[in-house]
Amino acid sequence: MSGLAETFFRLARVCLLALIIIMPMEAITAAREIGLAGVTAFMVLHLWLSPAPRPLRATPLALPLVFYVLTAVVSLFWAGDLHYSLRELRAEILKGLLLFYASAHFIQHERHLRQAWGALIIGAAVMSMAGLVLFFVGGGNPLETFVRAGSLHNGYGSFGTYLVTLWPYLLLAPLAFADGRWRIWLLALIPLAAASAYLTYSRATWLGMVCELALCFLVLGRHRLRNALLAVLAVLLLLGGLFMVPGSSHGERWAKLFYEPETVGGTAGDLFSLWSHSIDELADHPWRGIGLGRHSFSKAFREFRETHQPLLWHAHNMFFDLALQLGLQGLAAIIWVMASLVALLWPRSPPGREDALHLFGAATAIMVIGFAARNFFDDFFADDGSQLFWLLAGLALGGRALLNKALDRQDA
């Protein structure tokens, strides 16, 4: 029986590693669905057939995740389109949690985490290279913004979010694989991904990645207060430089920001309109959600949609979107999840070279912060963006469980 359980684990590993690589590739959604179903089914069979005691992991996120699911279920009572929100409940929350727990149980040895990290690196290399090649083949010019890098994803926004999500893992990979022959290629991948991110001309992507870069220096330094001040200064300088290059302005009149923000115009002006409307709606109905799913905004606020440009079909802010969809209790739930991940995984001291478990945990804590910063100006906590978030969170907590198990053995 244990031999059959091991076979199912190996099949789950193949599905998971393949899924990590292909997840951001828009054209192969069927393969992504097969991979997700495969890793879930094979991991369940592995755990079922494993000899007792089975290594079941509720994870420290069990309580906030239960609360998150309950807020989504309760929002169905007020959903503007019940069938749509039910589909979103299955597609976003059910799939995400299945992937989260499958990933958390996948890490049974440090080599499993290294294999998953390697798959992340392969996926990032493919997407970054494709982003540059397709940008120039499509007529892109680094001095103009008519063409924006989207790689093999469904657009520059999703591609930028993918890069923000993987950026801390790329930055810390040379330390985790410090003695490997691939270290030079890992170092080369960092500027490649940065160049692809720049060519998205997405200011939120730039913000997320610059913040993550500063946080990586903070995590690795031994004088954290001094490094924190240096990190803040570096972020301000980098962002100041980026906001002077082509693509940094999307039609805004920033001089009006402080006395007439509604007339700033450009992308920022659209966001002010959306967020002002969202705040008014939340003030009227703080606990009554409109139903899960980004399209619920268009279904619930038809008058706003009819009087604004077509791109403003949701709140363009992950936190406003979740608050509108699930009520303030849903917003509290996801903040609870993210804050718990950062608190659990933030390293108390700088991780050492080759310490993959602690380094991956640190990268995940940083990823959560960068992901939140990027999605404060849009909402890509959906589809493959949210699935990758849950997958990485599960892998990190699986690694944490492995560390705790090793500590328990030492104490015994």
Side-chain angles (χ1 to χ4, degrees):
M1 193 68 76
S2 60
L4 191 56
E6 179 63 22
T7 299
F8 283 126
F9 178 81
R10 292 180 179 180
L11 290 171
R13 177 170 55 189
V14 171
C15 290
L16 182 65
L17 298 181
L19 179 63
I20 290 172
I21 296 171
I22 67 174
M23 186 172 284
M25 301 177 188
E26 180 195 19
I28 50 177
T29 54
R32 185 164 65 238
E33 293 297 313
I34 292 170
L36 194 153
V39 68
T40 302
F42 290 135
M43 191 59 69
V44 168
L45 289 170
H46 162 69
L47 294 172
W48 181 37
L49 296 174
S50 294
R54 295 181 179 87
L56 296 176
R57 296 170 178 167
T59 80
L61 289 191
L63 190 57
L65 287 177
V66 168
F67 183 45
Y68 178 50
V69 172
L70 286 176
T71 63
V73 172
V74 170
S75 74
L76 295 174
F77 290 102
W78 297 287
D81 187 334
L82 179 60
H83 294 292
Y84 167 71
S85 292
L86 277 172
R87 289 198 305 271
E88 290 296 293
L89 184 67
R90 176 188 63 84
E92 299 299 339
I93 293 185
L94 179 59
K95 286 184 179 179
L97 294 186
L98 286 174
L99 195 52
F100 169 78
Y101 276 108
S103 302
H105 287 88
F106 172 73
I107 306 301
Q108 299 181 14
H109 191 278
E110 183 176 340
R111 66 175 177 273
H112 299 144
L113 188 66
R114 288 181 174 275
Q115 290 165 0
W117 204 334
L120 288 172
I121 291 167
I122 293 171
V126 171
M127 292 295 291
S128 298
M129 183 61 72
L132 291 175
V133 171
L134 294 177
F135 174 82
F136 288 106
V137 168
N141 185 333
L143 300 178
E144 299 175 349
T145 60
F146 298 111
V147 177
R148 304 170 80 169
S151 188
L152 302 175
H153 223 308
N154 60 2
Y156 68 89
S158 299
F159 178 47
T161 304
Y162 171 78
L163 291 174
V164 170
T165 307
L166 290 198
W167 184 235
Y169 301 96
L170 302 183
L171 292 174
L172 297 182
L175 284 176
F177 301 91
D179 295 332
R181 59 182 176 177
W182 299 105
R183 189 167 184 268
I184 185 64
W185 298 106
L186 297 177
L187 291 170
L189 178 57
I190 292 173
L192 183 69
S196 292
Y198 170 74
L199 294 176
T200 64
Y201 299 114
S202 166
R203 296 173 297 189
T205 295
W206 298 349
L207 172 65
M209 292 178 70
V210 168
C211 289
E212 289 173 335
L213 177 63
L215 289 171
C216 283
F217 281 114
L218 177 62
V219 161
L220 296 176
R222 297 193 175 276
H223 304 284
R224 291 200 167 178
L225 178 58
R226 183 191 67 186
N227 289 346
L229 295 175
L230 292 174
V232 171
L233 178 61
V235 166
L236 294 176
L237 290 174
L238 280 170
L239 289 178
L242 283 171
F243 278 79
M244 295 175 64
V245 300
S248 61
S249 177
H250 296 174
E252 292 88 358
R253 298 183 293 275
W254 292 113
K256 299 186 176 183
L257 177 62
F258 295 105
Y259 61 93
E260 288 183 318
E262 67 278 1
T263 63
V264 166
T267 304
D270 291 338
L271 290 180
F272 286 137
S273 297
L274 275 170
W275 295 352
S276 177
H277 172 78
S278 300
I279 290 171
D280 290 341
E281 292 295 335
L282 287 170
D284 292 338
H285 306 288
W287 311 111
R288 191 178 72 189
I290 59 176
L292 190 66
R294 291 181 298 174
H295 285 283
S296 293
F297 185 98
S298 297
K299 298 174 186 292
F301 309 125
R302 296 185 184 277
E303 182 178 349
F304 180 90
R305 290 287 292 112
E306 291 169 357
T307 55
H308 291 79
Q309 60 138 311
L311 291 177
L312 306 186
W313 57 277
H314 64 92
H316 283 267
N317 177 301
M318 179 180 74
F319 301 102
F320 279 133
D321 264 336
L322 284 170
L324 289 169
Q325 294 168 25
L326 309 181
L328 291 181
Q329 63 273 22
L331 174 62
I334 203 63
I335 291 176
W336 187 3
V337 168
M338 291 184 165
S340 296
L341 282 169
V342 174
L344 289 165
L345 298 171
W346 190 268
R348 304 298 180 261
S349 59
R353 291 164 62 93
E354 293 285 317
D355 186 359
L357 294 174
H358 281 106
L359 285 166
F360 194 92
T364 304
I366 294 169
M367 178 276 291
V368 172
I369 298 171
F371 188 84
R374 190 270 172 268
N375 282 291
F376 192 86
F377 300 96
D378 211 331
D379 183 6
F380 288 96
F381 190 56
D383 303 323
D384 57 278
S386 66
Q387 289 176 13
L388 183 59
F389 175 89
W390 291 120
L391 186 152
L392 293 171
L395 291 174
L397 290 183
R400 182 178 181 273
L402 205 61
L403 285 169
N404 291 338
K405 186 177 179 180
L407 289 175
D408 291 340
R409 287 175 179 172
Q410 290 177 3
D411 293 340

